[in-house]
Amino acid sequence: MAARPIRLVSGFFTVGAWTLGSRILGFVRDIMIAAFMGAGPVAEAFLIAFSLPNMFRRFFAEGAFNTAFVPLFSKKLESGEDPQEFAQDAFAGLASILIVLTLVAQLIMPWLVLAMAGGFAGDDRLDLAVEFGRIAFVYILFISLAALFSGILNATGRFATAAAAPILLNVILVGTLFLVSQLGADGKMTSLVDPAERYGRALAWAVPLAGIAQVGLVWFAASRAGFPVRPRLPRLTPDMRKLAVIALPAMLAGGVVQINLLVGRQVASFFDGAIAWLSFADRLYQLPLGVVGIAIGIVLLPDLSRRLRAEDAIGGRHAFSRAGEIALALTIPAAVALIVIPLPLVSVLFQRGAFTADDAANTALALAVYGAGLPAFVLQKVLQPLYFAREDTRTPFRFAVVAMVVNAVVAIGLGLVIGFLGAAIATSVAAWVMVGLLSRGRRPMGDIAQFDDRFRTRIWRIIAAALCMGLVLWWAALLLGPFLGGPTWRYLALAILVSLGIAVYFGLGRLFGAFSMADLKGAVRRS
């Protein structure tokens, strides 16, 4: 059960590569949902139902629970203090809580749906969302247990399987959509009046099936890594009490984040189609966020936890600075692209079938706003491990409360003036407020929590290269406009546009000294 050394950069690219694959399949899934279901009531009902288990997983999966579990498990692994028994107790306690939560959710599902989308009251969307929600909510049990096994694997330096597991969700959902479309084309499954309901109901059942596949994969990998966790009755040991004490503030902070999402969805639910517009825009900006931000957070947290245990301040500062440098080198150009060319991205990827040009235009507006907040979302993933590695979940909770108030005021205030777009603006503004608070709060932590000279020098060069790329993208989008809007050449035109942006950014980045291949190779060797 020995832990592997955590190779920060190679671990980041491992997680990032698998996450990229999952997000690409997620795009395929969303493209198919948009084509088959559009932005109509069935699509909105499914999206709300699907968001329910994903909301609660922030508490019990990669959110509060793993925020507390991974640092404690990593330190036990580093010191040899029986990490297997700790993992076994954590599994038993988490599974017990999740089973009770799932049963309670079945009883109060109508109220959960209305809490997510009050605008559904009194129309057909409510009944559909409740039906879909009761089926899909079971996913929370499996995905949260999968997150625990993923935390075990990540803490031992085994990132690949845990990073690959989310792909199973999208593989199963895409396969379900394809199967239903083929059955419909053959004249089968035609008893439903609304064809969209066929897809919504089938997707709802596919969600828990995907959860079973995910937990099975990572449980098997954790067992092979030397941690064969088995079901048993929970025990309230001193370690579990400590875990609960650390997890509770993180759970409250996760609750604050979910309140932010609830406010946005509540605002959107009063505008027809807005929930779908925001959801599809969210999927696009989640691509760089998932590939960069989530990958950095997954790798950095166990690495910092173990370095703090070993009192390695120099190595910790290097890891923190390189994580920030890599994250922003990949995120800032992505943010610029989302702001400069949102409509070509949305129209080429989603505008077909039931998803109209108006749907694409509104989704593009939301995407540009989310793009402005993208660096903040990623920086949160870099800064939060500084607190979590010290088992400090209270401070991020206090900061999250402030961000929640900002989000609510901006979303509701702007929602009354400019409509659904106020929710997207509020999300980005609150993210930057959170980054400011996290950055200020790290000052007493010493040098290990400060970016080094190399980071401070290169960040401005990264920004300069990204802004120049943005100008080139804007000009190229004008030239390719007729092709981007046509049915024949739009995929090739978008590929040329994206490839041009990548080439310009990395070419100028090397010219400006923002990064170099020698630095990357050296970082991989050192990690």
Side-chain angles (χ1 to χ4, degrees), residues 317 322 450-460:
R317 187 183 190 191
R322 298 295 73 76
Q450 311 305 317
F451 290 118
D452 59 20
D453 291 338
R454 171 175 151 178
F455 174 91
R456 289 193 291 267
T457 299
R458 292 193 171 184
I459 185 61
W460 300 110

Side-chain angles (χ1 to χ4, degrees), residues 7 9 17 49 125 147 149 163 173 201 207 214 226 243 251 314 374 390 405 415 417 435 472-473 519:
R7 304 174 65 211
V9 177
R125 293 178 298 176
F149 294 122
L173 293 184
R201 192 164 286 108
V207 170
Q214 287 176 271
L243 180 65
M251 186 177 296
I314 295 175
L374 178 59
R390 291 170 170 78
V405 174
V417 179
V435 166
V472 173
L473 282 178
D519 290 333

Side-chain angles (χ1 to χ4, degrees), residues 420-472:
F420 81 97
L421 200 60
I425 293 173
T427 300
S428 292
V429 170
W432 281 110
V433 169
M434 185 69 175
V435 166
L437 294 171
L438 288 169
S439 184
R440 187 177 66 179
R442 66 190 164 97
R443 292 173 185 171
M445 297 179 186
D447 286 344
I448 193 174
Q450 311 305 317
F451 290 118
D452 59 20
D453 291 338
R454 171 175 151 178
F455 174 91
R456 289 193 291 267
T457 299
R458 292 193 171 184
I459 185 61
W460 300 110
R461 299 173 182 177
I462 290 169
I463 293 172
L467 291 176
C468 292
M469 178 208 72
L471 290 174
V472 173

Side-chain angles (χ1 to χ4, degrees), residues 276-360:
W277 300 333
L278 292 177
S279 295
F280 291 130
D282 177 86
R283 288 298 304 170
L284 276 167
Y285 94 84
Q286 284 286 340
L287 176 61
L289 176 59
V291 174
V292 182
I294 294 174
I296 284 289
I298 286 173
V299 178
L300 187 59
L301 178 56
D303 188 39
L304 281 179
S305 298
R306 286 164 61 174
R307 290 183 188 275
L308 286 172
R309 175 79 183 189
E311 298 182 352
D312 181 10
I314 295 175
R317 187 183 190 191
H318 174 80
F320 172 64
S321 298
R322 298 295 73 76
E325 185 179 321
I326 294 170
L328 292 180
L330 297 176
T331 302
I332 290 176
V336 171
L338 294 181
I339 294 170
V340 173
I341 56 167
L343 187 57
L345 289 169
V346 173
S347 61
V348 172
L349 292 173
F350 294 119
Q351 188 179 327
R352 64 183 51 78
F355 199 81
T356 67
D358 287 341
D359 293 328

Side-chain angles (χ1 to χ4, degrees), residues 29 33 46 50 53 132 135-139 142 167-180 198-214:
R29 178 195 78 199
I33 290 175
F46 171 74
F50 187 43
F132 296 164
I135 299 168
F137 197 87
V138 181
Y139 181 65
F142 303 114
I167 287 182
L168 292 175
L169 171 66
N170 289 320
V171 167
I172 290 174
L173 293 184
V174 168
T176 298
L177 286 166
F178 178 77
L179 178 62
V180 173
R198 293 202 302 270
Y199 295 102
R201 192 164 286 108
L203 285 174
W205 282 107
V207 170
L209 177 63
I212 294 171
Q214 287 176 271

Side-chain angles (χ1 to χ4, degrees), residues 52-301:
L52 280 167
N54 283 303
M55 178 184 75
F56 280 95
R57 71 187 280 189
R58 304 296 190 269
F59 298 97
F60 300 104
E62 67 271 18
F65 183 82
N66 260 14
T67 293
F69 173 77
V70 170
L72 291 175
F73 182 81
S74 298
K75 289 174 183 178
K76 286 185 175 294
L77 199 62
E78 187 73 21
S79 61
E81 298 174 5
D82 200 359
Q84 166 68 29
E85 189 70 12
F86 178 68
Q88 185 72 66
D89 285 335
F91 173 84
L94 180 61
S96 301
I97 293 171
L98 290 167
I99 290 171
V100 173
L101 173 68
T102 302
L103 294 175
V104 171
Q106 301 301 310
L107 299 175
I108 63 171
M109 187 57 64
W111 291 275
L112 288 177
V113 170
L114 289 175
M116 296 284 286
F120 283 14
D123 66 38
D124 293 340
R125 293 178 298 176
L126 177 60
D127 291 338
L128 283 170
V130 169
E131 178 191 348
F132 296 164
R134 284 182 169 137
I135 299 168
F137 197 87
V138 181
Y139 181 65
I140 183 64
L141 172 63
F142 303 114
I143 193 57
S144 298
L145 294 177
L148 183 145
F149 294 122
S150 296
I152 293 172
L153 294 169
N154 293 336
T156 59
R158 297 169 171 88
F159 297 106
T161 303
I167 287 182
L168 292 175
L169 171 66
N170 289 320
V171 167
I172 290 174
L173 293 184
V174 168
T176 298
L177 286 166
F178 178 77
L179 178 62
V180 173
S181 70
Q182 293 303 111
L183 290 174
D186 292 340
K188 302 174 182 178
M189 296 180 63
T190 57
S191 59
L192 294 175
V193 174
D194 183 1
E197 288 190 33
R198 293 202 302 270
Y199 295 102
R201 192 164 286 108
L203 285 174
W205 282 107
V207 170
L209 177 63
I212 294 171
Q214 287 176 271
V215 75
L217 176 65
V218 290
W219 172 82
F220 179 73
S223 297
R224 293 196 62 182
F227 296 92
V229 177
R230 300 286 188 273
R232 74 179 185 195
L233 293 176
R235 302 185 305 166
L236 190 59
T237 65
D239 279 337
M240 289 302 99
R241 290 190 183 95
K242 184 177 183 180
L243 180 65
V245 167
I246 296 172
L248 182 59
M251 186 177 296
L252 294 174
V256 168
V257 172
Q258 298 313 311
I259 289 173
N260 288 342
L261 295 175
L262 286 176
V263 169
R265 288 194 181 98
Q266 286 288 3
V267 171
S269 70
F270 290 93
F271 301 90
D272 290 342
I275 288 177
W277 300 333
L278 292 177
S279 295
F280 291 130
D282 177 86
R283 288 298 304 170
L284 276 167
Y285 94 84
Q286 284 286 340
L287 176 61
L289 176 59
V291 174
V292 182
I294 294 174
I296 284 289
I298 286 173
V299 178
L300 187 59
L301 178 56

